[in-house]
Structure formats: C-alpha cells, structure tokens
Amino acid sequence: MKTSALPMVAPVQPSWIAPSFEQALALHHSLPLKAQVISTLQVNVGKVCNQTCHHCHVDAGPQRTESMSRTTIDQILDVLDRTPQIRTVDITGGAPEMNPHFEYLVEQCRARDCRVIDRCNLTVFYVKGKTHLPRFLADHRVDIVASLPCYEADNVDQQRGKGVFDRSITALQTLNGLGYGADGSGLMLDLVYNPLGPVLPPPQVELEQDFKDELGQQFGIQFNRLYTITNMPISRFWDELHDAGQLEHYYTLLLNNFNPLAVEGLMCRSLLSVGWDGRLYDCDFNQMLDLPIQPDSQAWIGRFNLSEWEHRSIVVGPHCLGCTAGSGSSCGGALT
C-alpha cells in the first residue's frame, strides 16, 4: 500500500517507565481533563465477533459470549427518552450485528429520530442469518463505519484473516448498490484505516484520496470519508508489542508526538461508553481496561445522571496518549 506512516522518533529518556498522560496534559495546562457535553452514547453490545483481528482492543472473537441483554437495551432507550440532547447512538462490538437484539436497538433508536452508527466489519454480512442486513441498514438509514485497514488484499488479510479483503470488497459493492456512499443519497459509508504495526497513521486527507483512487479504479467502490485511527496499546496489540520487545518504543513514539491541539476534540469529552452489561465508561478503550467513570458505584446505565456526568473529570491512563499523538485519533478519525 502506497502510504508513508509518520516515522518513529528517538526516545527522550534512556530508561523507560510507563509514561504519564496526566503529566503531558499538565505541561499544556489541560489538566484535569473534563467532559464538556454528552451528545453521544457509544454502545458496545458485546464481544462476539465472526473475526479475530490481531489489533482488536476488544479481544473479540467467535468464542466470546458477552452480549448485551434486551433489559439493558431498554434502559438505554429510557435514557434517550429522558435526555433529548443525546442524538447519536454509536453501536459497536465485537461485531455489533451478532447481538440478537441489534435490529431492535436500531429500530427503536431510529424511531426516536436518533442518528445511528453501525461499526461494521463488513464480513458479518456473510454470517448465516445476517445476509439481509445491508438492506435493513439502508431501510433504516443507518450510517455505516466500516473497517478496511488497506486497499490491498495482503495487508488486510494479514491483519484481519485470510479472505477478509475479498469479502469486504464484495460487501462494499453491495452497499454501493443500495445507495451507500453515493452523493445525495444520505446513506453515509465511511471507512476506517489503522496501521499494521507500531507506527502512527499517515495524514488522513492524503490517505483518503489514495483509498478513493484505488478502490474506485480497481473495484468501482465509492465512499464518503476515511478515518485514520491509531492502534491503542491495550489488549491484543499490547500483547504483540510486549512479545516483540516494542512496548517501550511505541509508548515513547506516542509520548514524543503528543499534540495538545488534539485535546479539545477528544471523543471522551462528548460521549459516554456503555458496556455490554450496562456499565458506563468514558470511552470504549477505558471499557476494555475496566476503568469505569467515577464514582464507579454509580457507573451504570440504569443510574444515568446527566447533571453529574456531563462535566465529569475523565479517567485517564498511559493508553490515552494514543488519542493525542500526531494528528490525534478518535472513533471519528483524526482530530487536527
């Protein structure tokens, strides 16, 4: 793939300890980090997935059993009814479509006129019983954010599994056939890129044009936007870095490329993350590290309290450097 990731830089200190995100914020007068408003619920409906990707921060896969219940979904819907300022429901997983109540959640959110985002791995459309989903998503005008870490087969299959690229391309063509990605259709189709290894993503605007050129010329595929997302040093990617002796190197890369301009747009400042069991977190990454919002005794969707949490102090850790390195990183791509 013809992209040049941002280069690694030399370590700033000879001996390494886990870097402090709080110190990086303090140097730029951004501590404490506080939420500004809650306009989005990012709902992780479970860890069940039809793929087992190397970089996955959720540690999702076919053998996982965690799945959000109908009761918890109804609690989320109750929050939406009581909190009209929350207009976006961002559904993730695992493969969110593997949750048996996925379609119910989508239907109920759309009935409340909420924007719904489906973070889709594309190959889930080939799972038995899921082939109707492209039409279902189009009928309910769901925005799709689809994983496609490269426009070349070898890179995608290396990261996500053999044959994933070809199935993803066919899925994208199916979505295009339904109007996704077409000008004026209102059916948004965005793609997500993340690097293969311990490097920062290249500039988002330039890479988006590369994707549009290559996918358009080779496969006739069109999409709206490309999001570049930094690999977070947690779960499987943390294990890979540790086993390869690159953990210190990667954290140093993130620290040395800390960008204070990215702090303003951090996704944790405008959303709450809901775990599959209804527990609340500042973001999906904190969720995977079991770092609930504070006070954690109240951190449940059934105890939702807008006034208490809208301007809350955000729980942070060294992994947060991944969101503020380079151009910044969020579920909506680069921040600067």
Side-chain angles (χ1 to χ4, degrees):
M1 186 160 126
K2 297 177 290 185
T3 61
S4 55
L6 298 179
M8 288 195 175
V9 292
V12 294
Q13 46 188 351
S15 59
W16 180 83
I17 58 174
S20 169
F21 183 65
E22 293 95 328
Q23 289 180 5
L25 289 175
L27 285 173
H28 298 279
H29 310 290
S30 299
L31 194 69
L33 183 65
K34 287 188 173 290
Q36 298 170 320
V37 67
I38 300 174
S39 59
T40 298
L41 286 184
Q42 187 171 70
V43 181
N44 191 308
V45 295
K47 300 186 180 184
V48 183
C49 190
N50 61 305
Q51 295 182 176
T52 308
C53 300
H54 291 300
H55 69 285
C56 181
H57 70 277
V58 182
D59 199 21
Q63 306 306 316
R64 302 304 295 258
T65 59
E66 300 91 333
S67 188
M68 182 174 285
S69 69
R70 174 76 170 257
T71 298
T72 300
I73 288 175
D74 285 336
Q75 290 176 333
I76 291 169
L77 298 175
D78 178 65
V79 168
L80 295 177
D81 289 336
R82 294 187 286 111
T83 318
Q85 75 181 54
I86 299 177
R87 305 313 312 150
T88 298
V89 179
D90 186 346
I91 309 175
T92 185
E97 304 88 351
M98 298 293 286
N99 183 289
H101 310 296
F102 170 78
E103 292 173 49
Y104 170 74
L105 175 59
V106 169
E107 290 167 345
Q108 292 299 313
C109 290
R110 292 297 293 133
R112 289 161 172 79
D113 200 30
C114 290
R115 177 194 180 201
V116 176
I117 301 170
D118 176 27
R119 295 194 177 265
C120 180
N121 68 15
L122 296 174
T123 64
V124 73
F125 296 155
Y126 300 96
V127 173
K128 184 178 180 181
K130 305 295 182 182
T131 56
H132 68 288
L133 282 174
R135 170 60 67 181
F136 171 84
L137 295 170
D139 287 346
H140 289 83
R141 306 195 70 79
V142 174
D143 293 351
I144 296 177
V145 178
S147 303
L148 192 72
C150 189
Y151 48 70
E152 294 179 348
D154 289 346
N155 285 11
V156 174
D157 287 357
Q158 180 181 343
Q159 186 176 116
R160 307 184 73 84
K162 186 176 180 180
V164 167
F165 180 79
D166 289 340
R167 294 197 299 274
S168 298
I169 291 299
T170 302
L172 288 171
Q173 291 169 334
T174 298
L175 292 172
N176 280 172
L178 293 168
Y180 272 101
D183 291 339
S185 71
L187 294 174
M188 299 298 294
L189 175 60
D190 299 327
L191 302 184
V192 173
Y193 164 89
N194 56 282
L196 261 179
V199 294
L200 297 181
Q204 182 169 287
V205 173
E206 296 175 17
L207 187 58
E208 177 180 287
Q209 192 58 54
D210 287 344
F211 264 71
K212 288 187 172 181
D213 291 344
E214 294 292 334
L215 292 177
Q217 293 168 12
Q218 293 186 53
F219 308 107
I221 288 171
Q222 55 185 346
F223 64 93
N224 297 102
R225 296 168 297 186
L226 178 76
Y227 299 152
T228 57
I229 297 181
T230 300
N231 287 326
M232 298 297 288
I234 59 179
S235 193
R236 289 179 191 158
F237 189 57
W238 191 98
D239 291 338
E240 284 191 4
L241 292 170
H242 179 268
D243 293 346
Q246 294 181 313
L247 191 60
E248 172 184 345
H249 196 48
Y250 190 61
Y251 268 119
T252 301
L253 169 70
L254 299 180
L255 180 62
N256 285 359
N257 285 279
F258 177 83
N259 183 354
L261 297 178
V263 175
E264 181 67 23
L266 289 172
M267 59 187 177
C268 55
R269 309 191 76 178
S270 61
L271 66 73
L272 276 179
S273 171
V274 188
W276 68 270
D277 57 356
R279 206 170 192 193
L280 296 175
Y281 304 83
D282 292 300
C283 70
D284 199 51
F285 303 122
N286 279 11
Q287 182 180 152
M288 298 312 135
L289 292 170
D290 196 25
L291 298 172
I293 62 171
Q294 297 300 313
D296 60 2
S297 62
Q298 301 296 314
W300 298 91
I301 191 65
R303 300 175 181 174
F304 184 85
N305 187 329
L306 180 66
S307 61
E308 180 176 354
W309 294 329
E310 188 160 38
H311 301 292
R312 70 195 183 279
S313 292
I314 294 168
V315 179
V316 299
H319 62 287
C320 300
L321 291 166
C323 291
T324 51
S327 298
S329 178
S330 74
C331 288
L335 298 173
T336 62

